[in-house]
Amino acid sequence: MSIYLDYTADTPPDERVLYEYMKVAREQFANPNSSHSAGAAAKKIIDVSLEKTAGLLGVLPDELILTSGASEANNLAVKGAARANRRRGRHMVSTFLEHSSVSGALTYLQEQGWEIDLVSILPDGQIDLEHLKSLIRSDTVLCAVCAVDSELGTVQPVSEISRIVSGFENCRLHVDMTQAVGKIPVDLSGVHTASLAPHKFYGLKGSGLLYKAKGTVIEPLIHGGASTTIYRSGTPDTAAAAAMSAALELTFGEYEERFERVSGLNRRLREHLAGNSRVMINSPDDAVPHILNISVRGIKGEDMRRLLDDKGVCVSVKSACSVPNTPSRPVMAMTHDRKRALSSWRISLSHLTTDEELNSFMEILDDIIENN
Ligand code: PLP
């Protein structure tokens, strides 16, 4: 049996979420875009699911757009804002902490002639708000930040960022909430668009969500075919919408016990690692306890990942979708230490992680460090 410590990349679906998915997939298979009664019944499930999801997020149901995951939601937010606002300005601001579905969309825009500026990261992992203020201009149409980054687990001050952005008439705020859901309280006030994906909180892969505040203008990425929303054509997955609302309800409902459990595991792990002089902890002290990014002097992150995998432990070097054998961008931006960024890797914990798993992992890690 392997020891899975990569819950930031993916979480196992909760049985109750799977049950909901199976039930709806079996009973409501008609196309929700069809106008007959079976289609209307499927559409009703989507409406009810979105109402529930919106209620949990404190927003309106018609502010939610179903997508195939957070990558699509981020692309829709970034490229959709670019297309809709190109006459107002062609400048965007973002950070070194973003997932590749944000940074890649921005690079794509840069290749189309857009100007992109990245905010500096302070030694404590926080976005430099003074630098952010100095970067936003009258032609800046989007500021894209993550609420929690996937490599270090830093928590960014979204409400302060929102206050800064609100001082600029043309600028909108996109927040990648993908790693925030289930790890910190979610607050979408002052945010124009936000993305999330239930496979990060014990839901299913292949489904995601873009929140788009009323009045925020974006253009769709996919054209052709009317659907439940003008922003995303294609047949919406009724069962996935129901499963997403179930996963979100469970995540919010069980937030405190889960958080406490993970905090305890993180404390034990940090205490253990503090005793090893070759270990440098990269995640700030106030990062979410679910993510612990470390570097071991003299061992590259990718080598460590392989050595651990050989012993049955699954961890990640950077996020699952990034380029291998390059230094971690977030660790580099925070520490300015290339060697440290090259040897960084991520342990991610869950309330499902057992004490036995953590003990075995710590033993295996000590052994690897001693012998390499
Ligand atoms: N944003 C962040 C912060 C992530 O961690 C991830 C996945 O690792 C994504 C976006 C992409 O999510 P998805 O795999 O659902 O496209």
Side-chain angles (χ1 to χ4, degrees), residues 8 69-72 74 99 101 148 150 176 178-179 197 199-200 321:
T8 303
S71 294
E72 185 190 328
N74 283 333
H99 183 263
S101 55
V148 172
S150 61
D176 183 347
T178 312
Q179 292 298 343
H199 69 104
K200 306 290 188 185
C321 320

Side-chain angles (χ1 to χ4, degrees), residues 325-343:
N325 289 318
T326 50
S328 152
R329 251 175 41 131
V331 179
M332 187 69 190
M334 193 180 74
T335 64
H336 303 285
D337 181 338
R338 191 179 153 83
K339 266 195 184 155
R340 184 165 173 171
L342 265 171
S343 51

Side-chain angles (χ1 to χ4, degrees), residues 17 21-22 70 82 88 91 101 128 242 272 313 315 322 329:
V17 173
Y21 182 89
M22 295 293 279
R88 287 199 172 85
H91 179 241
S101 55
D128 182 341
H272 181 82
V313 180
V315 296
S322 42
R329 251 175 41 131

Side-chain angles (χ1 to χ4, degrees), residues 266-284:
N266 180 288
R267 241 186 332 268
R268 279 193 54 214
L269 191 50
R270 278 183 183 261
E271 275 164 21
H272 181 82
L273 296 173
N276 193 318
S277 60
R278 281 179 66 194
V279 174
M280 291 172 282
I281 296 188
N282 300 318
S283 293

